[in-house]
Amino acid sequence: MINEDAVFYSRVLTELTLSFHIIYATIGVGVPLMIMIAQWVGIKKNDEHYILLARRWARGFVITVAVGVVTGTAIGLQLSLLWPNFMELAGNVIALPLFMETFAFFFEAIFLGIYLYTWDRFKDQRKHMLFLVPVALGAAFSAVFITIVNAFMNAPQGFELVNGELVNVNPISAMFNPAMPTKVAHVVSSAFMTAAFILASIAAFRIIRGSSHIYHKKALYLTMKIGLVFSIATALIGDFSGKYLAEYQPEKLAAAEWHFETAERAPLVLFGILEGEETKYGISIPYALSILAHNSPYAEVTGLDQFPADEIPPLYIHYLFNIMVAVGMWMTLLALVYWIGVKRKWKIVKQNWFNWLIVFGGPLSIIAIETGWWFAEVGRQPWILRGYMRTVEAATSSNQVDLMLILFSCLYLILGIGSVVVLQRMFKSNPVEHELEEREAENQGVET
């Protein structure tokens, strides 16, 4: 028997947990690559600023990893407690990537500890940097394996359901489902992009606050350049994601674009207000939806008229999709202008108002990550396992989920505030200028 209150609170708690976790998970996936690139550039150029950049980023990264572990554990717990029917069915099929995700995290954590505690043990920085390679790989593959689980929920395969019983289970086939390539690539690429822009926003803020030290300028240039590369990559992968949706989840694409009737030469609608099945005040780009879906301006795009009303996702995912795309395009443009401006020595990229745009780019990138995940999850509704199990069928019937929601909300509030306070005090008590002076003194002592 379905308990509607339990379903509601289960969905709210799961959304809260994922929304909180995705911030730390994205940083956890993206920052190790930033650290590795900074250290590699420092070694290549024999530049202490980049070496110190890697060292300071690594210290802050440890805090985000600690919080990510707690929230990641909460997700695993909630899958079993809140969605027992789903885990009973899908757990037998998709348990392998869940196990491999745990292994990837331990692989990352072990080498992260070695990396942090051996900073001054190697005269050759190249040897020390090698410890960071498995850290970056472990972080990336953690995202890969957990995203495979999400992809399976959108395109389940690798099993047969006969009279309610699982038969012919093939975990490898379940992992390599049609949704896997585009979802994994999009998640990893957007994590690298977001991490770069978050670090860039910190550097820009320090410059605005009056720090003219070359360290922050180098940090800003490096992260904005990396952010540009991965924002372009994310946009290209997003195009492939649109084509995946057109073939395998056409109802999600149609709902996201408010495409009600199957038609050729379909326009792409941005923003607007929906009245019935009519879009007002939106920006319509002719042929764009047909191109996005099938690479042809004359292609036919399936509309919502082809699906039962109870299988159509909530239409507000249109705004989630638009926000994600708009922020991605804005950050790509901002990074491109900055990169060209530095090369051409434009004065605008040195102005405080432009640096403020970069500062706001960090939170905007997080908003894009959030709306992207909400779009992915809400756009799959009413299914938790598309075509096999609806969300209402998967939830617990317990009457205690509302209490769990309160307790976990308090936990996330404490973790969020605590991590910000710790990070702020960590770097405020040891400013980069002071650390650079200490390192210069150490180097002079060694030379003497």
Side-chain angles (χ1 to χ4, degrees):
M1 184 176 178
I2 296 173
N3 184 334
E4 293 185 1
D5 287 341
V7 174
F8 173 76
Y9 286 119
S10 293
R11 293 187 67 178
V12 172
L13 178 52
T14 303
E15 181 175 17
L16 175 65
T17 301
L18 287 172
S19 298
F20 186 75
H21 175 71
I22 196 63
I23 298 173
Y24 293 90
T26 299
I27 294 172
V29 172
V31 169
L33 181 66
M34 306 301 116
I35 298 171
M36 189 166 67
I37 292 174
Q39 191 165 356
W40 176 76
V41 172
I43 294 169
K44 184 179 178 181
K45 294 186 175 183
N46 193 25
D47 191 326
E48 279 291 328
H49 291 139
Y50 289 105
I51 301 293
L52 183 58
L53 196 62
R55 190 167 191 166
R56 288 173 67 84
W57 284 349
R59 291 176 191 155
F61 173 64
V62 173
I63 306 302
T64 61
V65 168
V67 178
V69 169
V70 176
T71 53
T73 303
I75 290 174
L77 177 66
Q78 289 171 19
L79 278 175
S80 299
L81 293 179
L82 303 181
W83 310 103
N85 298 329
F86 166 73
M87 291 302 292
E88 183 179 359
L89 173 63
N92 296 314
V93 184
I94 206 66
L96 181 58
L98 287 172
F99 166 77
M100 295 176 72
E101 190 274 337
T102 304
F103 176 80
F105 168 74
F106 282 120
F107 187 70
E108 171 194 359
I110 290 169
F111 282 95
L112 176 61
I114 297 173
Y115 175 78
L116 290 172
Y117 287 104
T118 55
W119 260 105
D120 300 315
R121 304 295 178 90
F122 292 93
K123 293 182 179 179
D124 189 347
Q125 281 284 336
R126 290 173 296 183
K127 293 180 181 179
H128 179 246
M129 193 185 73
L130 290 177
F131 290 119
L132 196 56
V133 174
V135 176
L137 288 176
F141 275 100
S142 289
V144 168
F145 292 131
I146 205 65
T147 305
I148 285 175
V149 178
N150 184 268
F152 170 78
M153 296 166 71
N154 288 273
Q157 66 175 34
F159 68 97
E160 294 179 21
L161 200 60
V162 180
N163 297 324
E165 297 291 332
L166 283 174
V167 296
N168 299 328
V169 174
N170 185 338
I172 302 301
S173 177
M175 288 177 61
F176 291 93
N177 58 76
M180 187 275 287
T182 53
K183 270 196 167 294
V184 166
H186 193 74
V187 166
V188 174
S189 177
S190 61
F192 293 150
M193 177 194 77
T194 303
F197 286 136
I198 290 173
L199 294 174
S201 70
I202 295 171
F205 182 74
R206 294 300 303 157
I207 292 172
I208 291 171
R209 290 294 296 270
S211 178
S212 59
H213 202 287
I214 190 66
Y215 168 91
H216 296 296
K217 295 178 181 178
K218 289 179 179 179
L220 180 60
Y221 179 72
L222 178 66
T223 50
M224 287 296 283
K225 186 159 65 171
I226 296 172
L228 175 62
V229 171
F230 282 108
S231 61
I232 294 172
T234 302
L236 294 174
I237 296 166
D239 178 69
F240 290 118
S241 298
K243 291 168 177 53
Y244 158 79
L245 290 177
E247 183 174 355
Y248 293 97
Q249 290 180 272
E251 74 283 0
K252 183 175 181 178
L253 181 64
E257 291 302 329
W258 289 348
H259 184 61
F260 291 95
E261 296 183 3
T262 302
E264 299 177 350
R265 306 178 182 183
L268 189 147
V269 178
L270 299 176
F271 299 102
I273 298 174
L274 193 62
E275 294 185 2
E277 294 187 0
E278 183 181 353
T279 304
K280 292 187 176 182
Y281 313 113
I283 302 171
S284 181
I285 305 175
Y287 307 103
L289 185 56
S290 290
I291 295 172
L292 174 66
H294 302 292
N295 266 346
S296 170
Y298 307 105
E300 180 180 85
V301 180
T302 304
L304 293 175
D305 58 336
Q306 300 298 311
F307 305 98
D310 64 345
E311 293 184 7
I312 295 176
L315 296 182
Y316 70 80
I317 66 171
H318 172 78
Y319 296 111
L320 301 178
F321 178 75
N322 284 179
I323 292 171
M324 175 185 66
V325 172
V327 171
M329 293 175 63
W330 167 250
M331 293 309 300
T332 304
L333 177 62
L334 186 66
L336 182 62
V337 170
Y338 174 83
W339 182 73
I340 295 175
V342 170
K343 291 294 183 182
R344 298 292 181 88
K345 297 182 180 180
W346 292 347
K347 293 183 179 179
I348 61 167
V349 298
K350 297 181 180 180
Q351 301 295 318
N352 271 355
W353 65 266
F354 190 86
N355 283 328
W356 274 116
L357 294 180
I358 297 175
V359 170
F360 291 130
L364 280 176
S365 298
I366 293 176
I367 290 173
I369 287 288
E370 295 283 12
T371 53
W373 268 106
W374 294 339
F375 170 69
E377 295 301 295
V378 178
R380 190 180 59 249
Q381 300 306 313
W383 306 101
I384 191 170
L385 190 62
R386 186 177 180 270
Y388 289 92
M389 180 179 286
R390 291 176 182 263
T391 303
V392 294
E393 300 168 344
T396 181
S397 58
S398 171
N399 292 318
Q400 306 299 319
V401 184
D402 53 347
L403 177 60
M404 288 180 60
L405 176 60
I406 295 171
L407 293 175
F408 275 103
S409 297
C410 294
L411 173 64
Y412 301 149
L413 184 64
I414 293 170
L415 288 174
I417 295 175
S419 61
V420 171
V421 170
V422 170
L423 285 169
Q424 186 180 34
R425 290 186 177 181
M426 177 186 292
F427 291 106
K428 193 173 183 180
S429 62
N430 190 23
V432 64
E433 291 81 4
H434 177 66
E435 195 161 353
L436 281 168
E437 290 176 2
E438 288 183 346
R439 291 187 67 81
E440 288 176 4
E442 288 177 3
N443 292 335
Q444 289 177 0
V446 170
E447 291 174 2
T448 303

